[in-house]
Amino acid sequence: RHTPPSGRFLGSAGVNPMAHDVYINSFAGNNEWSFSSRKLPVGQVAHTDQLVRRQRFYDSSMYRDFLQHWGYGVAIIGMLDRHGPDQLGLVLPGPIEREPGELLTAVPFLLPHFQRAARISRRIAEADLRTSAATSLLDSSPYSVFALAPDMYMLLANSSAQAQLEHSPVISLRSGRLHVADAAAQLKLEA
């Protein structure tokens, strides 16, 4: 994200955790590669030489104070997705003296798979957040809430329902299924 500058790693391979922290705290969303790659359309892949003049990048703090220590000065960047002000990119940094060769040809074929994985991951995170909020709301309710499958299997019980299950002589769980002591009531529930 550029405004305000921030970032996070969704995944990485071969990156020292200290490098994560330094990048996030000092350079995320506030470097030449980031500024120039935000113009890339979703799904496009580019070599950083196509985005920023090399000498201009070498004059940047990100190169001088960070990447130069590992011998990195170029990268292949793919724009995976945009979600609100956030941009999600794939960055494959490499040494200055080596040409990307077949990697630059291969990444566009792999990019759609990374895009799908990132979108699925985001949707799962959003669903987890909604589930957490709903569970919290249910737990704050003074009423007992049971969610049951058609076979009476307990899918969810809020904290009030859990307390009722622990102390009630009328209802209980048997093999994960709700059981009512009164046989007639049990038949009605199962119908």
Side-chain angles (χ1 to χ4, degrees):
R1 177 179 293 185
H2 297 283
T3 313
S6 64
R8 63 191 170 108
F9 282 82
L10 291 184
S12 62
V15 180
N16 184 303
M18 181 193 75
H20 282 197
D21 294 340
V22 171
Y23 178 79
I24 296 300
N25 292 316
S26 303
F27 303 109
N30 191 20
N31 65 76
E32 293 290 335
W33 285 356
S34 239
F35 293 140
S36 56
S37 66
R38 71 179 167 191
K39 300 170 192 159
L40 287 175
V42 171
Q44 188 168 338
V45 175
H47 188 285
T48 50
D49 283 350
Q50 297 170 280
L51 303 172
V52 183
R53 282 190 354 264
R54 235 185 240 199
Q55 191 54 53
R56 180 181 167 120
F57 183 68
Y58 292 165
D59 293 339
S60 74
S61 175
M62 183 169 152
Y63 176 74
R64 285 189 332 268
D65 303 330
F66 185 58
L67 291 176
Q68 185 177 15
H69 298 290
W70 289 285
Y72 293 149
V74 295
I76 294 171
I77 296 178
M79 182 57 67
L80 293 172
D81 204 0
R82 285 189 171 83
H83 190 253
D86 296 334
Q87 297 177 163
L88 182 63
L90 171 70
V91 180
L92 303 169
I96 299 160
E97 63 278 357
R98 294 190 58 195
E99 289 300 317
E102 293 177 359
L103 189 58
L104 191 56
T105 307
V107 171
F109 291 105
L110 297 172
L111 205 64
H113 302 290
F114 285 114
Q115 286 173 308
R116 257 190 308 283
R119 288 174 181 163
I120 289 168
S121 175
R122 187 183 73 238
R123 287 183 187 128
I124 289 171
E126 289 169 352
D128 284 347
L129 187 60
R130 285 193 299 274
T131 301
S132 177
T135 302
S136 178
L137 182 64
L138 283 174
D139 278 340
S140 67
S141 171
Y143 301 102
S144 295
V145 178
F146 297 93
L148 304 170
D151 64 353
M152 301 296 288
Y153 187 82
M154 179 72 65
L155 300 173
L156 178 130
N158 70 350
S159 55
S160 180
Q162 290 287 348
Q164 193 174 5
L165 281 169
E166 290 173 16
H167 304 295
S168 174
V170 179
I171 61 170
S172 61
L173 282 182
R174 290 187 183 169
S175 300
R177 289 175 170 73
L178 185 69
H179 179 76
V180 180
D182 181 354
Q186 183 73 28
L187 285 173
K188 263 188 175 177
L189 281 172
E190 290 175 357

